[in-house]
Amino acid sequence: MYSVRRWASRHARFFEAVYNGFEAVLTSLHPLFRRIGYARMDKPVAAVEKLVKGFLFDTKMCGSCTLGATGMVCPMNCPKSMRNGPCGGVRSNGHCEIKPEMPCVWVDAFAGSRLMRDGDRIQGIQAMVDHRLQGSSSWLREVRRKKGVPEIGDAAG
Amino acid sequence: MTMLDNPAAGHFLPLEPGHSSPGRIEKLLRAGEFTVTAELSPPDSSDPEEVFEKARIFDGSVDAMNATDGSGANCHMSSVAVCAILRRANYSAIMQVSCRDRNRIAIQGDVLGAAAIGVASILCLTGDGVQAGDHPQAKPVFDLESITLLAMLRKMRDESRFQSGRKITHPPRVFLGAAANPFRPPLDFRPIRLAKKIEAGAQFIQTQYCFDVERLKQFMARVCDMGLHKKAFILVGVGPLASARAAEWIRQHVPGVHIPDSIIKRLAGSANQKQEGKKICIEMIQQVREIEGVSGVHVMAYRQEELVAEIIQESRVLGGRTPWYPGIDEP
Ligand code: SF4
């Protein structure tokens, strides 16, 4: 259990590069997305996103992805949904206060961030989650942000 | 300095320049006084007198009391109600707010109400998981966490706006605090996490129990390097351990408390363990007070509250100053 996502965090630098490349490709597809319509694209893209990120990072599809700023570890796996660092309850062996069998998400996130080129992004403050975005594609959201396309009716999907 | 000018319920005092609250704690800390706060564990009762009984134990030894918010995920009287009762007697209260049981809508409402009854300081916590307490079946909320909570309350105070952007006519004048745990992994991340809390709005910090001065010193050295001690007032958590067995129990069951073996051995080897626990606590206070960047202590003496007065007196950290309490000026 947790082996794939922990493996991914140990290779955070590699996945950071892959991710950055992938993002560039997606961004270049913006004209196509626009032609089809972002609203219509969201469901199928979110399905693929869920499959890929779910397998690699166990992501929870909160819709406001932070992977690049959290050591390529999904913070929504933290039972307290901590998005800005570890709570005070981390066990002395580095495991989670709430799920003793699970290594604390933030111990892995911090270790992962130390391997990354842009690892210091972990010092930035993540805003509170917009729960309406749950299940929508954060890949497309990122492209829209880059291209200055307004959110679909605020919450996508 | 007179401490009588804490606001009475329903009265808004003018703020001193550069202050964000009219509260006693902010005044003391900004004046550079070594400040003592203590944890008041709310009663399992609807009788306000039980709150006053608990408060009176600290009379003359502490500057403010933290009203805990379902600490350890156990059910007790709510922190906002404890604060309301304490404010009736003009006690200085630090309201703890945890993100475990309430979402952003509930918390903002509570904060406005708290400010209206004269609560001037709020400690923003993520909170222990429900598994730690007496209702492990409950739904954990965690809509926010300490850092997003801090940012939200700062926005209410400084921009007079709810998180939604809607206008607040009279903003809550509150001094914002957060917790820190320098003793648990990932140790290198702990100062960064503190920096994030300060950036999000924390003006004072109360740490988890310190039983390991060396680890605290390493943390504080880093904190001072980063200049964080100039941006927030840091109060170190301390408390007496009742016995080696109690210490062992805390280590196993209370999330986040780090007690080194050496402390447990010292307790176990003593003829009067309770007395030894108190002595360790006094030594701890005297040692942490010497560390650069420490502005005070936060005493957590769960079920040993009666020791707090002696501990503070014997550690001589107040330097002859007597904290305000109701009746201090009566002959
Ligand atoms: S120990 Fe780590 S994973 Fe567990 S609740 Fe705390 S921050 Fe989250």
Side-chain angles (χ1 to χ4, degrees):
Chain A
M1 226 183 157
Y2 313 125
S3 56
V4 179
R5 79 181 200 216
R6 298 206 77 205
W7 171 83
S9 79
R10 280 196 300 274
H11 295 84
R13 195 184 178 96
F14 169 73
F15 282 108
E16 179 187 31
V18 171
Y19 234 69
N20 287 342
F22 177 63
E23 209 176 279
V25 173
L26 270 187
T27 310
S28 72
L29 290 175
H30 165 65
L32 178 70
F33 293 151
R34 200 167 45 183
R35 197 146 6 106
I36 305 173
Y38 274 98
R40 219 184 315 153
M41 286 298 294
D42 205 87
K43 264 220 172 84
V45 175
V48 178
E49 185 173 336
K50 189 172 178 184
L51 212 71
V52 175
K53 292 206 309 197
F55 171 70
L56 283 172
F57 311 109
D58 248 339
T59 59
K60 295 290 174 271
M61 294 298 286
C62 71
S64 320
C65 192
T66 64
L67 280 172
T70 51
M72 302 310 285
V73 170
C74 172
M76 300 312 273
N77 282 310
C78 160
K80 296 186 190 173
S81 308
M82 307 281 294
R83 291 167 68 86
N84 281 292
C87 74
V90 186
R91 292 166 192 262
S92 32
N93 64 358
H95 279 226
C96 172
E97 167 198 329
I98 296 177
K99 293 185 178 172
E101 74 290 351
M102 177 182 84
C104 166
V105 164
W106 277 95
V107 169
D108 286 350
F110 185 59
S113 79
R114 296 304 89 187
L115 303 171
M116 290 164 67
R117 192 185 294 270
D118 260 344
D120 282 345
R121 282 179 62 200
I122 204 166
Q123 296 177 17
I125 292 182
Q126 299 295 336
M128 56 184 78
V129 178
D130 180 341
H131 292 281
R132 294 170 302 178
L133 305 182
Q134 175 71 41
S136 65
S137 168
S138 60
W139 284 348
L140 290 182
R141 183 160 295 104
E142 193 52 29
V143 176
R144 284 200 298 273
R145 195 184 60 80
K146 281 226 171 88
K147 294 289 178 186
V149 181
E151 279 286 311
I152 311 159
D154 208 2
Chain B
M1 180 169 29
T2 158
M3 285 303 146
L4 283 169
D5 44 5
N6 215 39
H11 291 179
F12 293 110
L13 286 183
L15 294 183
E16 288 181 34
H19 286 220
S20 12
S21 80
R24 209 172 290 160
I25 287 300
E26 182 173 9
K27 281 188 189 141
L28 284 166
L29 287 168
R30 291 203 191 275
E33 297 281 352
F34 193 84
T35 302
V36 179
T37 57
E39 190 163 288
L40 183 148
S41 45
D44 298 336
S45 158
S46 63
D47 180 0
E49 192 47 37
E50 289 189 32
V51 175
F52 287 127
E53 273 165 25
K54 283 167 180 272
R56 274 195 291 269
I57 300 175
F58 299 131
D59 275 359
S61 12
V62 317
D63 295 302
M65 287 168 277
N66 279 50
T68 57
D69 181 10
S71 78
N74 289 302
C75 201
H76 306 289
M77 186 189 285
S78 74
S79 61
V80 66
V82 169
C83 289
I85 294 167
L86 291 174
R87 294 299 303 133
R88 279 190 209 163
N90 209 17
Y91 277 115
S92 185
I94 299 175
M95 181 170 86
Q96 298 195 178
V97 175
S98 135
C99 301
R100 181 194 53 238
D101 309 323
R102 280 163 300 158
N103 69 7
R104 58 193 89 178
I105 300 173
I107 292 176
Q108 292 179 95
D110 278 354
V111 165
L112 281 188
I117 53 178
V119 172
S121 312
I122 295 183
L123 186 75
C124 299
L125 304 170
T126 299
D128 303 314
V130 294
Q131 90 294 342
D134 63 346
H135 292 74
Q137 318 84 345
K139 177 174 184 179
V141 177
F142 297 115
D143 179 27
L144 307 177
E145 47 156 315
S146 53
I147 287 183
T148 44
L149 172 60
L150 281 162
M152 179 176 82
L153 299 194
R154 183 172 62 183
K155 179 171 171 173
M156 288 175 76
R157 182 191 66 199
D158 294 350
E159 298 172 28
S160 298
R161 294 206 180 268
F162 288 112
Q163 186 60 35
S164 65
R166 205 153 49 76
K167 194 87 184 129
I168 295 169
T169 51
H170 197 298
R173 299 291 185 200
V174 283
F175 190 45
L176 294 175
N181 189 348
F183 309 104
R184 279 296 167 92
L187 296 181
D188 290 342
F189 193 44
R190 293 293 170 184
I192 299 176
R193 173 127 171 103
L194 182 67
K196 287 178 86 164
K197 288 191 172 179
I198 293 171
E199 197 190 326
Q203 299 167 293
F204 72 97
I205 303 294
Q206 292 174 317
T207 78
Q208 181 53 276
Y209 278 113
C210 172
F211 294 108
D212 186 340
V213 181
E214 283 319 306
R215 207 172 265 192
L216 180 71
K217 280 185 181 158
Q218 285 163 15
F219 173 79
M220 285 305 298
R222 188 82 196 94
V223 163
C224 292
D225 275 352
M226 295 164 79
L228 300 177
H229 63 311
K230 298 233 163 73
K231 297 182 183 162
F233 300 98
I234 298 171
L235 284 74
V236 176
V238 293
L241 291 164
S243 64
R245 249 186 72 205
E248 197 57 70
W249 189 89
I250 291 173
R251 199 148 78 151
Q252 310 262 335
H253 295 96
V254 183
V257 182
H258 162 75
I259 306 177
D261 294 336
S262 56
I263 295 273
I264 299 204
K265 273 204 200 103
R266 185 171 155 190
L267 283 167
S270 139
N272 186 340
Q273 298 201 1
K274 190 167 174 167
Q275 200 56 32
E276 192 68 16
K278 182 180 136 189
K279 221 171 118 197
I280 293 173
C281 182
I282 293 171
E283 289 171 18
M284 202 59 77
I285 294 176
Q286 288 169 335
Q287 288 178 46
V288 304
R289 135 167 242 178
E290 299 303 321
I291 300 174
E292 190 194 350
V294 173
S295 299
V297 286
H298 175 54
V299 192
M300 295 170 278
Y302 183 60
R303 289 203 176 135
Q304 299 204 84
E305 285 88 352
E306 73 289 350
L307 292 180
V308 172
E310 294 167 31
I311 288 172
I312 294 305
Q313 200 182 15
E314 289 170 35
S315 64
R316 288 197 285 271
V317 280
L318 289 174
R321 182 172 70 80
T322 306
W324 184 90
Y325 61 91
I328 185 174
D329 301 313
E330 281 161 23

